[in-house]
Amino acid sequence: MIDERQRRAIERLQQFGLRSTPQRRAIWNVFAQLGQGHLTAEEVLDRAQAELPELSRATVYKTLGEFVRVGLLRTVAGHGPLRFDPNLDASHHHFICERCQQIVDVHLTGIEQLRLQQPGLRVHRIRILVEGRCAACAAEPDA
């Protein structure tokens, strides 16, 4: 049974001339089951292989790139490997804990007042990565 989120993903793939293959469905299902994103390609591979054991690493990397290109996922860069996020809401940004590397979706106020000092640049989107310590790591003493 295909749910609404899966149906929209299939339609999005078709808009870009991509078929809904078993490999693409297995990879998308990882994010659909998870709810929240922030997975590395290796984490996606491990989880998707539970549904489709013959899935290759190369297929996962290629498919994640396609999903970003067609607007099903966005990337989250930080320390360590690139991560993938299905939350496309432009009003959310990311906080990464510099100690445990946990990534948390955050909403910031005051972004609408940001201005670029260089003239002639046109902003299409703003992505902010806030770094610090999560509550659990902030409570622990430094080593």
Side-chain angles (χ1 to χ4, degrees), residues 27 41-42 45-46 49 54-64:
I27 293 165
E42 292 298 318
L45 174 64
D46 290 343
Q49 281 181 329
E54 67 273 15
L55 188 63
S56 75
R57 176 175 278 104
T59 297
V60 169
Y61 276 85
K62 180 180 177 194
T63 301
L64 290 171

Side-chain angles (χ1 to χ4, degrees), residues 92-104:
H92 97 282
H93 301 279
H94 296 100
F95 175 93
I96 186 167
C97 178
E98 60 194 10
R99 192 173 206 180
C100 72
Q101 302 303 303
Q102 175 187 10
I103 298 176
V104 179

Side-chain angles (χ1 to χ4, degrees), residues 31-140:
F31 292 99
Q33 294 165 0
L34 188 66
Q36 293 280 331
H38 315 135
L39 295 176
T40 67
E42 292 298 318
E43 291 169 331
V44 173
L45 174 64
D46 290 343
R47 292 171 189 224
Q49 281 181 329
E51 181 178 332
L52 198 65
E54 67 273 15
L55 188 63
S56 75
R57 176 175 278 104
T59 297
V60 169
Y61 276 85
K62 180 180 177 194
T63 301
L64 290 171
E66 290 172 337
F67 284 0
V68 170
R69 183 175 60 83
V70 304
L72 289 173
L73 297 175
R74 71 188 233 185
T75 58
V76 180
H79 304 287
L82 190 64
R83 295 181 175 272
F84 298 88
D85 186 1
N87 183 349
L88 303 176
D89 176 8
S91 72
H92 97 282
H93 301 279
H94 296 100
F95 175 93
I96 186 167
C97 178
E98 60 194 10
R99 192 173 206 180
C100 72
Q101 302 303 303
Q102 175 187 10
I103 298 176
V104 179
D105 288 347
V106 294
H107 292 272
L108 304 172
T109 59
I111 291 177
E112 53 281 346
Q113 280 83 35
L114 290 176
R115 300 288 178 256
L116 297 177
Q117 292 182 345
Q118 294 82 358
L121 300 176
R122 290 181 28 189
V123 176
H124 293 277
R125 79 179 141 286
I126 297 173
R127 292 186 185 184
I128 296 175
L129 177 65
V130 181
E131 300 180 30
R133 292 214 175 156
C134 66
C137 290
E140 295 177 13

